[in-house]
Amino acid sequence: MQDCGSPEVVFRLSPLVQQRHWHAVLGSFLYPGSPSALADTPSSPPDLPEASPSHDTTVCPVPSRPSFPGSPAPCGRRAWLDMDRETRVFAENHFRRLRGRLPSRVCPILDRVDFIENPDSFSYSDFFKGYLLPNLPCVFSSAFTEGWGSRRHWVTPSGKPDFDYLLQNYGDVVVPVANCGVQEYNSNPKEHMPLRDYISYWKEFIQGHYSSPRGCLYLKDWHLCRDASAKGIFTLPVYFSSDWLNEYWDTLDVDDYRFIYMGPTGTWSPFHADIFRSFSWSVNICGRKKWFLFPPGQEEALRDCRGGLPYDVTAPAFLESRQHPGLNHCSPPLEVTQEAGEMVFVPSGWHHQVHNMEDTISINHNWVNGCNLANMWHFLQQELRAVQQEVIMRSCSGINFGEFYHFLKVIAERRLLLAKEIGSGEVEYGEGSRLGPQQTIFDISRIAEVLASVVVNPDFQRVDTSMLSPQPEDLLQQLEEVMAAMESL
C-alpha cells in the first residue's frame, strides 16, 4: 500500500458484517445525554497543502472535510486528516521500540535542519515518519503559505508590515506587549495596550534608528484567532492538524494556544522550551528570524552552578561565564535563518532562542498529539517532583494532574465517539469528522499507553478521583477494548 492510500479503501477493509460486534463493544462507551457526550466537540482549524523533502515521495491529495460542530477558531479551515495503515503500523512499531523511553530523548545528532521545498511532493505521512515521530526540526518553504490571507493583506508590496491595514482592522484590540530589555526571571515583563498604541511606538522606534527610551517592546502571545475578525488569515497546514491541545481548549471555549507575534528588528524571545513540552510551528508573515535550536538534553550542559537555565545563550557574559561548568561539553546549537513566508517546525522538548532580524510578524501554534503526549506527561511529573505541591504545580506549569486527566478524557471520549461511528458505518468518506480511521486508532492507542502510566502513578493515586466520570481505570478499559475491536482495520 502506498503512503497515501485512499482513506475510503482503508475504511472498506472493515465491512458491515462487523457491525454487530462494533455495536456490542462500542455502544456503551459514550453515554447518550451526558454533558461530555454532547458538549465535547472540536473546533474547526484550517486545511492546507502538502510538502516536499529531499527524498522521493508519493504525492497524494488531501480532500477537504468538514469538522464536528463546535466553537471553531475563525482563522481558517481544517483538512481531512488520516494516515494509511502502513504509517500507523510504522508508528506503533516506533513506540514499541522505545520501550518506555521518552520520544524526545531519542533523536540523532544533526548538523543541519532539513528544508522542504515543494508542497506537491511532501505528504502527511512523509512529515509524520520523517520529522514528527523522530522529533526532528524542519523548515518548510514559503510555497506552503503563499495563499494565506495574512501574507496578502498584512504586508506591503515592499515586504514590510502594513501598519495601515493592521490599524484599520485591529487598531482597537488590546494586545500583550513584552519589554525585551528587561529580564524578569527567565522571561520579560508584559503590559497591555491597544494595537494602535503599539504600532505608534513601533513607528517611533524605527524613526529613532531602532531605539527608544521606552525600551525594545515585542507584541507576543496575541490570541487573535479567537476573534471573529481574524477569519481567513491563514490555512492550517495538514501536517499540524492533529492538534489535541487546541482541540481541548476549543471544546472548553475559554482559551487556545494560537498566537500572533510582531515586533521591530532587535526584538527576541529568551531561551526556553515550549509549554507542556508541546510541539510548535511558526510562520513568518513578513520579516526574518534567527533561531538557535538545542536538542532535548542539551540544555543540561547549559545550567549554572545553581541549576538554573540561561536567559540569553548569545550574551558574551554567558559564553565567558565560569558559572556554567558544563558549557564546554555542549555542542553548538543548530542555527536557522527563517525568511518571509517560511514555516519552522520545532519538536517537543527542543530548547530554543529566537531573534527578529527585521521588522517581523509571525503566526505561531503550540500543539500536542499522540506523538508527544508521553513527553507532556513526563514533564508534569517532573514539575510535581520539583515543587512538591499540587497547588504550586498548577501555577508553575499551568496544569495539575487532575486537569491532565480531564485533558486525556476529553480527547479520549471524542476518539471513542469517532470509533463508534466508523465501526457502525455511520461515517462515510468526506463526511463527519476531520479524522480518518487510521488516525483515530493511532490516537486511541497513544492515549491508552499514557493513561496506563497515569493510573499507576503514586502521585496521581493521591488525587481525589471520586467525582471523575468515567473513572480513569474504566476509561482505560474502554480504550483497550476499542483498540482490540479495531485491530482488523
Side-chain angles (χ1 to χ4, degrees):
M1 183 182 295
Q2 291 182 333
D3 280 353
C4 299
S6 165
E8 182 173 15
V9 174
V10 175
F11 175 75
R12 296 305 174 192
L13 293 176
S14 178
L16 292 180
V17 296
Q18 295 185 356
Q19 184 168 339
R20 291 184 181 177
H21 174 64
W22 275 96
H23 277 300
V25 174
L26 296 166
S28 61
F29 281 0
L30 292 174
Y31 314 104
S34 71
S36 60
L38 296 176
D40 291 348
T41 51
S43 76
S44 65
D47 54 300
L48 260 217
E50 303 172 21
S52 81
S54 56
H55 54 280
D56 292 333
T57 60
T58 301
V59 180
C60 50
V62 182
S64 175
R65 181 175 183 149
S67 67
F68 279 121
S71 55
C75 294
R77 303 180 308 280
R78 284 195 180 190
W80 153 254
L81 176 66
D82 197 19
M83 59 177 70
D84 54 61
R85 191 177 192 281
E86 184 271 333
T87 301
R88 176 173 66 84
V89 172
F90 180 91
E92 290 170 350
N93 290 336
H94 169 84
F95 285 108
R96 196 173 294 119
R97 287 192 300 270
L98 289 176
R99 297 177 180 175
R101 293 176 295 164
L102 285 179
S104 66
R105 297 287 172 168
V106 184
C107 60
I109 297 175
L110 302 179
D111 58 4
R112 63 181 179 86
V113 174
D114 287 348
F115 185 78
I116 300 165
E117 183 71 41
N118 188 357
D120 294 330
S121 58
F122 189 70
S123 70
Y124 175 70
S125 291
D126 291 327
F127 175 69
F128 188 91
K129 292 190 287 188
Y131 301 95
L132 200 60
L133 273 182
N135 205 49
L136 299 175
C138 61
V139 179
F140 297 77
S141 76
S142 61
F144 290 86
T145 64
E146 62 184 359
W148 287 18
S150 52
R151 290 193 61 195
R152 292 194 305 272
H153 302 305
W154 292 9
V155 186
T156 67
S158 63
K160 301 295 184 182
D162 191 331
F163 293 138
D164 291 337
Y165 182 91
L166 294 170
L167 285 170
Q168 180 179 348
N169 288 272
Y170 313 111
D172 294 328
V173 178
V174 176
V175 295
V177 175
N179 190 335
C180 297
V182 178
Q183 180 179 352
E184 189 175 80
Y185 301 101
N186 270 27
S187 188
N188 309 117
K190 282 185 179 177
E191 59 180 309
H192 288 78
M193 65 180 70
L195 179 63
R196 68 176 65 258
D197 291 352
Y198 179 71
I199 289 180
S200 177
Y201 155 81
W202 194 344
K203 291 178 177 178
E204 293 173 0
F205 192 79
I206 295 172
Q207 292 168 359
H209 303 287
Y210 289 90
S211 179
S212 169
R214 297 176 60 186
C216 186
L217 303 185
Y218 192 8
L219 191 163
K220 301 176 69 173
D221 301 328
W222 175 18
H223 292 256
L224 177 61
C225 289
R226 297 201 65 81
D227 188 329
S229 65
K231 185 175 181 179
I233 66 173
F234 76 99
T235 307
L236 182 68
V238 67
Y239 317 104
F240 313 141
S241 57
S242 177
D243 177 353
W244 300 2
L245 194 58
N246 287 298
E247 180 181 351
Y248 173 73
W249 284 110
D250 287 343
T251 299
L252 302 185
D253 197 24
V254 294
D255 203 356
D256 69 353
Y257 283 89
R258 308 177 182 99
F259 308 108
I260 308 297
Y261 281 45
M262 57 177 70
T265 304
T267 48
W268 64 294
S269 293
F271 183 76
H272 69 286
D274 288 321
I275 188 168
F276 306 142
R277 295 303 179 261
S278 58
F279 299 127
S280 66
W281 61 264
S282 177
V283 172
N284 281 355
I285 304 306
C286 62
R288 304 171 77 218
K289 291 181 185 286
K290 171 73 81 173
W291 293 74
F292 300 91
L293 298 162
F294 294 82
Q298 193 81 76
E299 74 278 2
E300 297 302 323
L302 303 180
R303 293 187 181 276
D304 61 25
C305 295
R306 302 180 190 86
L309 290 171
Y311 170 70
D312 179 3
V313 295
T314 68
F318 166 74
L319 298 173
E320 298 170 3
S321 174
R322 296 182 180 179
Q323 296 297 314
H324 299 83
L327 191 57
N328 292 333
H329 305 290
C330 181
S331 300
L334 290 171
E335 295 189 18
V336 172
T337 299
Q338 180 189 16
E339 303 291 345
E342 293 180 351
M343 181 163 58
V344 171
F345 166 61
V346 182
S348 175
W350 282 63
H351 281 70
H352 50 282
Q353 186 169 310
V354 191
H355 295 254
N356 289 329
M357 304 168 69
E358 297 176 357
D359 295 343
T360 300
I361 301 175
S362 65
I363 296 177
N364 312 275
H365 281 202
N366 293 102
W367 48 300
V368 170
N369 61 27
C371 293
N372 63 338
L373 183 64
N375 297 343
M376 181 181 183
W377 168 231
H378 178 74
F379 168 72
L380 294 179
Q381 293 176 81
Q382 282 185 315
E383 288 291 288
L384 181 58
R385 284 194 292 269
V387 299
Q388 295 300 310
Q389 294 183 35
E390 186 84 355
V391 62
I392 299 177
M393 177 186 171
R394 189 184 192 286
S395 69
C396 293
S397 65
I399 191 172
N400 58 33
F401 279 11
E403 289 164 328
F404 181 64
Y405 172 71
H406 187 254
F407 167 70
L408 293 178
K409 167 187 172 295
V410 167
I411 304 300
E413 288 188 336
R414 293 165 66 81
R415 297 304 181 270
L416 290 172
L417 179 60
L418 266 177
K420 181 179 179 181
E421 293 174 347
I422 292 168
S424 65
E426 296 173 15
V427 174
E428 292 293 333
Y429 176 68
E431 299 176 358
S433 159
R434 67 187 179 91
L435 294 182
Q438 301 298 327
Q439 185 72 46
T440 300
I441 298 169
F442 173 74
D443 287 359
I444 289 173
S445 70
R446 298 305 304 141
I447 297 168
E449 180 175 313
V450 171
L451 182 56
S453 174
V454 171
V455 297
V456 299
N457 180 273
D459 294 308
F460 181 77
Q461 290 174 348
R462 287 194 283 270
V463 175
D464 181 6
T465 62
S466 60
M467 301 301 291
L468 298 180
S469 178
Q471 287 289 294
E473 294 81 1
D474 295 337
L475 179 59
L476 178 59
Q477 181 179 351
Q478 293 171 15
L479 293 166
E480 290 173 341
E481 289 177 3
V482 170
M483 288 167 57
M486 298 183 80
E487 185 64 31
S488 61
L489 279 180

